[in-house]
Amino acid sequence: MRSWPGRSSGRLVLLVGLPLAVVLLPPAVVRVGLSALSPFLGLSSALAGRAAGITLVCSLPMTALVLWRRRFFCRFLCPMGWIVETCGKVRPGARYAYARIPRLGQWAVLLTLGGAIATCPLFLFLDPLALLAGAAGAGTHWAYAVAFAGIVAVSTILPGLWCARLCPLGGLQDLAVDLRGVLARRRIEPADGANPEGTPVARRAFIGLCGGAATGVLATRLPANTGTIPLRPPGAPDEATMTTLCVRCGSCVRVCPSGIIRPDLAPPDFTRLLLPTLSFAEGHCLDDCSRCGEACPTGAIAHLPVAAKNERPIGLARIDQKACLLSHEVECGVCVTMCKRNAIVEEFSKETYSVAVRVLEDQCNGCGACVAVCPPRAIHVEPTKR
Amino acid sequence: MERLGRRDFLRALGLGSLAAVGGGSAWCAPIHEGSKVVDQGKAIARGGAAFIENGKVVQPRREIPVLRETDVLVVGGGTAGVVAALAAARAGVRVTLVERYGCFGGLWTAGLVLIVLATHVRAGGKHVKMVQGIGDEMLARIAKLKHGAINYGPDSRADATTDPEATKYVMAAMLREAGVDILLHSWVVNAIMDGASIQGVLLEGKSGCLAVKAKVVVDATGDGDVFDAAGAESVPHVHRIGLVHRLGNVPSGLDAKGLNLGVATPIPGVRWVNMQGPQGDCLDIEMLTQVELDAREAIWARLKEIQERPGYENVFLLDVASQLGVRASRTLVGIEELRLEDWRNNKTYPDVAGIGGSYSFLPGRGCPIPYGTLVPKRIDNLLAAGRCVAADNKMLNYTRLIAPCMLTGHAAGAAAALSVTSKVSPRNVDVAALRALLRQQKAYLG
């Protein structure tokens, strides 16, 4: 890992330039770039989705490259690697000291891929590129910033630890080369000389994959997993597909101009950690925007034209009649005013001589435009089965 | 010009034009007190009775006596009309104000909608007054009266609420001080047109049908009756029609759960209760009649519920509004339109004539109201003010509030005066001069 771009000034340019590039480049470039650079994302999404999607296809050249040259990607291409190495040089005299730490990154890969077979990619969110993409940019959520800061802190205290031992993308490359060796019926010494007596790679792979698959099977059978449906961005598929396709890169979180998409930090179950969920507390899904779908690298959020996106229900607005001002004869009806789809109508009852607002279920797409404007907060969007 | 006394004028007209209008009942009989004749009586300018011709009811073609000739005629003595009349009169032109009822304030007073919404913006804990000038002067004068207003001023977090009688009183006083010529109990029924240019209006009242001629007419009828009669384009709306009432002797501090006791007024123990009511066409008298009758029954039914609650036995119905709460009926198609989307996009206008305060669906900042929303596309010498100005069906829920009505009234009055003094149609009024005049009258324009 010493052959990374050497000059510290150049490194500084990269440090500033990379996050800037993620923000300034068109979402399409970031989207393709992310999949093209990470075989980890490509593999697990293909396994979990049972299909060779665009993510896998994009990642094939890089897969071939890392099989040919061990950790080529980490040395020359990984932006997180550049950042981590720079952090390692902040403390003069700091030394690489991770030899006795097990290769957690490899285990993360195996468990994730195993889980992916059971449609539940367990540690997909640890992908460094996804994390970096999530943390870069002004619109990011604090959870990504915290994760990124964590990696920076670890790398400053224990230089090189992240890349060599924790990073699943790095672990995948090591595994791939080791497995290539097994297939070629010859043993290849680990590059950094770590634990040559460790579990043989084939056994490691078997244990990891089986463990992951078992955990995945268990996790998807949890009672919570069958009941609750959180709100998801428009164009999201059913929960199982969402869990498998989403790489938790936070691209949708970052690009949403209303800031309503946030990583789920309190999911109904562990497998749905960091999936994008919606909060209409301060904004709503705009009717002239489909940027989340555009930014999604895996197609978990379908990239739909704006008009089609508007027809994909996020949920259904529900009005608490007891709290509604209109039913207390207070001048309001703001929800009726704000609904661009005319999905909220006033209904007058001659018996009580009063007005109530009602949601037309076939008109409402759950965009949430009525939620934040409601003075007594009497409206919430209820997720519908997708 | 020396104006003829109203009585002499009518008398002359009644006697002189009887033959010309071809009989009918426009007869001025002497007035008796007991058997003694006390006055000669006035002619009723009815122009003769209608008659049946080929089975159809026909009105005789007749000449309409001209009651007034003025510079600026304001039709409607509600919030917008009163402020418009004051603005024009203070700018130095002759102003006649025509009102269909016997008091000023319209829905603010006779309609008992006592809350003055959208006067200010509250930003960062600070109260920033948007309605200044004549509207605020009026509020300040009302607030000075004992039990005149509550929640007025920068220290209040709630919106100002006034007493209807105090408001009527202050409005009349200000109009008289400004020298506005007032005609009450007169219902404007038609426009007098010369091509696409309005020359005045016809009004109906106990004196019959009379004409008021003016150089500029301000339509502050709320329903846009004048611009509609003049042939200006407008957009029809249906909206909820309510009927507000006030409760007296309302105790405080008791369990009021499930009861709608409305909102506090400046009078202790008196609360005003809003009503949403059914949606309907507010220009249909059958609809209005139905609502008036049903709503009064509903009010009594609710009162009974309140009185059945322990502690509330002595609550009584103080009054029911004498005007139905019509929220929207017609809006003008103006040379500019107030749109919600434009507010959201922070659209700027070159001809801002007032800035309204924030409101539930316009939170956080003021709402600029361009002069173009008062100006009809095609008709000359005519301006709109109040809830009938050009606004989309979302923003009309803003322009109908009392504070925006003050602002559009102020702008219309000032523009009408400028139009008269500079001898141009309101459409061509110099916007810079208008804004200067509004500023001179202490309006806030940002």
Side-chain angles (χ1 to χ4, degrees):
Chain A
M1 269 162 265
R2 311 237 160 130
S3 47
W4 282 339
R7 304 256 303 279
S8 53
S9 55
R11 207 168 270 134
L12 199 71
V13 171
L14 281 170
L15 268 180
V16 180
L18 269 169
L20 259 181
V22 173
V23 179
L24 295 179
L25 284 175
V29 174
V30 177
R31 190 173 75 223
V32 174
L34 193 61
S35 339
L37 289 174
S38 175
F40 179 48
L41 296 182
L43 258 179
S44 61
S45 84
L47 276 176
R50 313 257 190 282
I54 181 81
T55 324
L56 181 71
V57 174
C58 282
S59 69
L60 284 180
M62 186 56 64
T63 314
L65 203 60
V66 297
L67 276 172
W68 172 58
R69 280 271 186 273
R70 176 188 284 268
R71 291 258 183 171
F72 175 87
F73 171 77
C74 304
R75 280 163 218 264
F76 300 108
L77 293 171
C78 179
M80 186 68 105
W82 290 327
I83 293 169
V84 161
E85 210 211 352
T86 308
C87 294
K89 299 199 165 154
V90 168
R91 282 191 313 138
R95 289 190 299 150
Y96 296 111
Y98 47 76
R100 289 164 61 185
I101 295 170
R103 296 164 168 241
L104 296 173
Q106 282 193 23
W107 286 107
V109 171
L110 291 167
L111 287 169
T112 305
L113 295 182
I117 295 167
T119 72
C120 177
L122 296 170
F123 296 105
L124 194 57
F125 59 88
L126 283 178
D127 183 275
L129 298 182
L131 271 174
L132 189 62
T140 185
H141 190 267
W142 60 265
Y144 291 104
V146 166
F148 180 71
I151 295 176
V152 165
V154 164
S155 306
T156 312
I157 298 162
L158 299 165
L161 174 71
W162 167 262
C163 289
R165 289 290 182 267
L166 303 179
C167 173
L169 186 48
L172 176 76
Q173 294 173 54
D174 284 347
L175 263 176
V177 174
D178 288 357
L179 282 169
R180 192 191 67 185
V182 170
L183 292 177
R185 290 177 190 285
R186 62 192 168 89
R187 184 149 173 89
I188 294 179
E189 291 304 315
D192 52 6
N195 194 11
E197 312 301 319
T199 331
V201 63
R203 198 183 304 163
R204 229 183 303 154
F206 180 76
I207 296 172
L209 288 174
C210 288
T215 316
V217 168
L218 275 176
T220 47
R221 297 291 182 281
L222 285 176
N225 208 344
T226 50
T228 335
I229 319 169
L231 288 169
R232 302 287 183 218
D238 61 275
E239 280 295 282
T241 316
M242 186 71 193
T243 313
T244 61
L245 276 185
C246 173
V247 297
R248 282 81 162 163
C249 68
S251 296
C252 53
V253 177
R254 196 178 55 246
V255 296
C256 177
S258 300
I260 57 169
I261 310 182
R262 31 200 82 174
D264 200 346
L265 298 174
D269 63 76
F270 168 73
T271 66
R272 286 183 274 180
L273 185 72
L274 293 187
L275 281 186
T277 186
L278 304 185
S279 159
F280 295 122
E282 273 134 43
H284 65 276
C285 181
L286 304 176
D287 67 345
D288 59 351
C289 168
S290 60
R291 281 188 236 174
C292 51
E294 208 174 297
C296 180
T298 64
I301 306 172
H303 183 190
L304 299 167
V306 171
K309 183 226 71 174
N310 288 334
E311 298 308 316
R312 282 283 191 101
I314 296 169
L316 184 63
R318 294 278 186 206
I319 299 171
D320 176 6
Q321 298 294 346
K322 282 210 178 95
C324 173
L325 293 182
L326 264 194
S327 46
H328 295 283
E329 303 290 357
V330 176
E331 206 64 21
C332 194
V334 185
C335 53
V336 181
T337 305
M338 299 309 270
C339 181
K340 290 196 176 172
R341 298 173 62 85
N342 300 320
I344 306 183
V345 290
E346 293 167 16
E347 275 188 349
F348 178 74
S349 151
K350 223 167 162 198
E351 286 69 53
T352 58
Y353 215 75
S354 62
V355 173
V357 280
R358 190 167 70 86
V359 177
L360 300 177
E361 302 197 355
D362 48 351
Q363 302 260 38
C364 174
N365 67 354
C367 75
C370 50
V371 175
V373 296
C374 174
R377 294 280 165 129
I379 310 179
H380 74 278
V381 175
E382 199 176 85
T384 42
K385 224 169 177 66
R386 295 185 300 273
Chain B
M1 184 191 97
E2 195 188 329
R3 215 184 291 171
L4 236 59
R6 180 168 175 260
R7 176 169 300 181
D8 303 332
F9 182 83
L10 285 176
R11 188 172 294 153
L13 183 113
L15 294 173
S17 60
L18 259 181
V21 298
S25 60
W27 180 250
C28 38
I31 296 172
H32 290 71
E33 191 183 299
S35 59
K36 202 172 103 197
V37 173
V38 292
D39 203 345
Q40 186 42 54
K42 289 169 249 176
I44 308 299
R46 207 171 272 136
F51 52 89
I52 312 269
E53 194 176 87
N54 299 330
K56 288 174 180 155
V57 181
V58 176
Q59 234 182 354
R61 179 191 160 96
R62 86 265 203 194
E63 183 192 334
I64 309 287
V66 177
L67 179 63
R68 294 278 200 283
E69 284 194 51
T70 185
D71 290 334
V72 173
L73 168 67
V74 180
V75 183
T79 308
V82 169
V83 176
L86 287 169
R90 289 179 184 187
V93 297
R94 293 175 305 158
V95 181
T96 297
L97 173 61
V98 184
E99 161 58 35
R100 67 170 158 163
Y101 296 130
C103 63
F104 297 110
L107 272 166
W108 188 6
T109 58
L112 289 179
V113 181
L114 304 180
I115 192 162
V116 189
L117 292 167
T119 57
H120 61 277
V121 173
R122 187 166 272 280
K126 261 175 67 186
H127 176 114
V128 186
K129 214 182 251 188
M130 295 284 135
V131 174
Q132 302 180 14
I134 296 172
D136 191 53
E137 180 189 329
M138 187 180 288
L139 284 170
R141 270 181 79 161
I142 297 166
K144 264 202 185 143
L145 297 173
K146 193 170 184 190
H147 299 310
I150 48 171
N151 302 333
Y152 172 72
D155 302 328
S156 164
R157 291 195 70 86
D159 294 287
T161 299
T162 67
D163 179 73
E165 292 309 320
T167 308
K168 292 174 193 172
Y169 169 70
V170 167
M171 282 180 154
M174 288 175 77
L175 288 167
R176 295 175 94 171
E177 284 160 18
V180 173
D181 169 40
I182 297 166
L183 282 173
L184 296 174
H185 300 292
S186 306
W187 196 306
V188 168
V189 291
N190 217 337
I192 306 168
M193 299 301 292
D194 177 13
S197 168
I198 191 166
Q199 304 293 310
V201 298
L202 300 187
L203 55 84
E204 288 274 1
K206 287 288 170 187
S207 309
C209 183
L210 299 164
V212 177
K213 289 176 75 181
K215 290 174 183 153
V216 176
V217 178
V218 175
D219 183 346
T221 57
D223 293 323
D225 291 332
V226 177
F227 66 62
D228 186 63
E233 274 179 90
S234 62
V235 182
H237 300 277
V238 289
H239 210 306
R240 302 183 299 274
I241 313 169
L243 186 61
V244 180
H245 66 277
R246 284 194 296 176
L247 297 173
N249 213 4
V250 183
S252 55
L254 296 177
D255 173 30
K257 211 164 176 249
L259 298 180
N260 182 7
L261 296 172
V263 194
T265 75
I267 305 177
V270 173
R271 298 175 73 84
W272 74 278
V273 187
N274 196 5
M275 179 191 280
Q276 296 306 322
Q279 269 195 352
D281 177 1
C282 315
L283 301 170
D284 173 2
I285 52 170
E286 288 178 344
M287 176 77 198
L288 297 177
T289 304
Q290 190 68 49
V291 175
E292 185 81 53
L293 295 173
D294 292 346
R296 281 175 190 271
E297 271 186 22
I299 289 169
W300 279 95
R302 282 176 202 175
L303 176 68
K304 201 168 153 249
E305 260 177 60
I306 293 170
Q307 289 168 338
E308 279 165 4
R309 181 73 63 93
Y312 290 96
E313 296 88 348
N314 296 321
V315 172
F316 62 88
L317 181 59
L318 176 61
D319 54 357
V320 174
S322 43
Q323 244 181 288
L324 272 176
V326 170
R327 288 177 170 87
S329 49
R330 275 192 205 101
T331 52
L332 179 73
V333 174
I335 56 176
E336 182 66 75
E337 187 188 39
L338 212 56
R339 293 188 199 93
L340 181 58
E341 214 44 47
D342 292 340
W343 180 85
R344 285 196 196 132
N345 297 332
N346 255 317
K347 181 172 176 179
T348 54
Y349 306 89
D351 57 343
V352 172
I355 301 175
S358 54
Y359 184 53
S360 62
F361 63 89
L362 307 179
R365 61 188 155 90
C367 176
I369 302 172
Y371 173 59
T373 58
L374 319 182
V375 184
K377 261 192 174 159
R378 211 167 49 80
I379 306 297
D380 278 328
N381 299 340
L382 181 61
L383 284 166
R387 71 160 189 258
C388 52
V389 300
D392 69 10
N393 73 333
K394 299 176 190 294
M395 284 306 278
L396 61 78
N397 284 315
Y398 182 73
T399 50
R400 69 186 172 87
L401 305 173
I402 290 168
C405 282
M406 286 173 165
L407 297 177
T408 52
H410 196 166
L418 267 184
S419 164
V420 170
T421 51
S422 58
K423 295 192 172 63
V424 293
S425 177
R427 187 188 323 277
N428 301 321
V429 159
D430 178 20
V431 171
L434 171 63
R435 284 167 57 90
L437 175 57
L438 284 168
R439 281 214 168 93
Q440 193 195 320
Q441 294 187 342
K442 300 205 175 86
Y444 172 72
L445 299 177

